[in-house]
Amino acid sequence: MKIAVLPGDGVGKEVTAQAVKVLKAAVGNATSLELTEAPIGQAGVEAAGDPLPQTTLELCRKADAILFGAAGIPGDEKLPFDQRPGASLLRLRKDLQLFANFRPVFMFPELIGASTLKPEVVDGLDVIILRELTGDVYFGEPRGIRTLPSGERQGFNTMVYSESEVERIAHVAFQTARGRRRKVCSVDKANVLETSQVWRDVFTRVGKDYPDVELTHVFVDAAAMMLMRAPKQFDVVATGNIFGDILSDCAAMLTGSIGMLPSASLANDRKGLYVPVHGSAPDIAGKNIANPLAAILSAAMMLRYSFDLPELAARVEKAVSRVLAGGQRTADIYQPGTAKVGTIEMGDAVVAALGRA
Ligand code: IPM
Ligand code: MG
């Protein structure tokens, strides 16, 4: 297993170290694990003057999987796109064509009280937000900032989806639903956007190849509302890059903390980038208080999707459940009556629980 380890910035470094620790403990000596660390984000700027140094990119191209922490610094958005630490993740997604982004949102029973929603709304929740990751307004050209004849500045971006791009994510959506509750909800804004009209047409067409899967279409504004009101009605929510960005943060909060949620971004050849949904969180970085569970659960997804080791993945996930059941909590999921632990202690607790699995 050739894995590129890119801790990146802020809490990325801290949580990735815990994920690596758990990965090593889970895999043991059974399979050979080749871990190579490389800088990305601000760490890339400091090491090589580029948020995505060429050597890091080459390493990722050769790897079977990439374990990513977080990239980004405060004020990031003021820099030109190519020099933005946070944009290194976007460049990596595009370069490696990691178009299928899985963001599972599931409720650990022990954390029901940490959600801001009523327990009966989130109890047993298990949804996958499937986000297209290499197209849409994120990458559409032309883009830029121009000056109008009046002297006023104008920002512009282009929202685009071509049929082939929608087709490949639609197949992933229906195939994923087949392994679950056989429901795909395609989210778009077809009442306003031509991009979405193409999106909806393609989903409808591809859906005919999967008569055993129920397909519904929902506008993105309504989808946001339905996710808050009754999230358990969803199975696989398939959507474009920008809507998926927004809806996945919404969905994340159903579970109480974005610090719990892993993600996988896959290319056609099973190569994958595994990264917690949360960002670099500079405000809490370096304090040993960040929740490493999203990073650890991302490593579990890596075992499942890139290395086809579902039992090992399940062992890691069970170890996380066991630690939560034992009452250990990082600050973001702390509730009175539980024991508050730091980032490193949480990683150690998961390793210890693996031994008992
Ligand atoms: C995400 C993040 C990224 C995105 C940022 C860091 C560029 O918000 O993965 O959801 O917008 O895709
Ligand atoms: Mg986001």
Side-chain angles (χ1 to χ4, degrees), residues 104-275:
V105 179
F106 48 87
M107 199 68 223
F108 281 97
E110 295 81 11
L111 295 184
I112 285 187
S115 175
T116 48
L117 277 87
K118 293 196 187 91
E120 63 270 26
V121 175
V122 290
D123 185 15
L125 180 69
D126 175 12
V127 176
I128 288 189
I129 307 280
L130 178 67
R131 169 186 177 196
E132 198 292 329
L133 209 54
T134 52
D136 204 350
V137 69
Y138 268 59
F139 295 100
E141 297 283 347
R143 64 185 294 158
I145 298 175
R146 59 192 163 210
T147 305
L148 298 174
S150 64
E152 185 184 10
R153 283 185 345 134
Q154 185 181 58
F156 58 99
N157 293 86
T158 306
M159 185 178 249
V160 277
Y161 264 125
S162 47
E163 291 182 306
S164 55
E165 280 178 295
V166 183
E167 235 161 68
R168 63 179 184 175
I169 193 78
H171 281 290
V172 174
F174 289 109
Q175 279 158 18
T176 304
R178 274 192 172 158
R180 297 170 47 91
R181 300 191 301 279
R182 296 179 184 262
K183 293 202 292 186
V184 170
C185 175
S186 167
V187 173
D188 62 35
K189 190 72 184 171
N191 51 342
V192 180
L193 305 169
E194 284 79 5
T195 316
S196 283
Q197 280 171 25
V198 170
W199 176 279
R200 188 174 283 221
D201 290 347
V202 173
F203 261 79
T204 304
R205 191 172 73 221
V206 173
K208 298 210 163 68
D209 297 345
Y210 300 85
D212 52 315
V213 178
E214 177 198 302
L215 170 66
T216 52
H217 302 275
V218 175
F219 296 139
V220 62
D221 49 350
M225 183 191 70
M226 287 157 73
L227 263 177
M228 295 302 115
R229 189 172 55 88
K232 282 189 271 183
Q233 67 190 289
F234 295 110
D235 180 18
V236 176
V237 176
T239 189
N241 208 345
I242 186 91
F243 299 152
D245 179 44
I246 300 164
L247 289 183
S248 61
D249 269 30
C250 273
M253 272 325 286
L254 299 171
T255 69
S257 174
I258 200 166
M260 290 301 300
L261 294 185
S263 79
S265 309
L266 303 184
N268 266 329
D269 57 358
R270 294 187 87 100
K271 184 194 280 253
L273 173 90
Y274 299 86
V275 48

Side-chain angles (χ1 to χ4, degrees), residues 6 40 57 88-96 98 273:
L6 314 182
I40 197 155
L57 183 58
S88 56
L89 182 56
L90 300 176
R91 287 165 61 196
L92 205 51
R93 288 170 179 167
K94 189 73 175 173
D95 186 89
L96 303 176
L98 303 160
L273 173 90

Side-chain angles (χ1 to χ4, degrees), residues 74-90:
D76 208 82
E77 64 286 349
K78 294 189 200 86
L79 297 165
F81 188 78
D82 279 353
Q83 290 163 33
R84 242 177 255 172
S88 56
L89 182 56
L90 300 176

